[in-house]
Amino acid sequence: MRFYKNLWVSENAAGKKFQIIWKLKHFRPQSDVYVLVLADTPHDLIHIYPAKEFQQPYYKKRHRDLFVIGIAYTRPEALELARRIVDEVYQKTGDCDIGAYIRNRTDTP
């Protein structure tokens, strides 16, 4: 699991950002935490997963493929954060290609 350097974080998750990230990296259970992942398919923008889903064996094997761009508490907050991300990308680029936006950021390694 890789994390975007400028991770988008919902208001309620901001105070526990590092704790949430640590728990995600170490497969610790978290209720009410949602993870926004850059989609790996061309027709999707963002996938939203409940953090508890990463407890499944499938994700323990696939975790290296996931590129986390945001974290939030509760599903409504995750949906609002996804809207905020798409809006920011569209306002700055005139397009909704989040992957290209992240790759083209000058502060991205």
Side-chain angles (χ1 to χ4, degrees), residues 1 23-30 49-64 66:
M1 188 174 293
K23 286 183 176 183
L24 286 169
K25 286 181 177 181
H26 294 90
F27 301 102
R28 299 294 192 262
Q30 300 182 79
Y49 297 100
K52 61 186 172 189
E53 192 166 321
F54 296 127
Q55 297 297 303
Q56 301 297 320
Y58 172 79
Y59 289 104
K60 288 185 179 183
K61 292 178 183 175
R62 187 178 174 248
H63 76 280
R64 288 190 182 102
L66 300 174

Side-chain angles (χ1 to χ4, degrees), residues 76-107:
E77 245 186 55
L79 293 171
E80 174 59 25
L81 185 59
R83 186 211 54 82
R84 220 173 75 208
I85 292 168
V86 172
D87 187 51
E88 179 182 323
V89 171
Y90 185 76
Q91 293 296 323
K92 291 185 178 181
T93 66
D95 193 1
C96 291
D97 190 350
I98 299 168
Y101 173 75
I102 289 172
R103 284 188 298 277
N104 293 327
R105 298 269 318 246
T106 57
D107 54 356

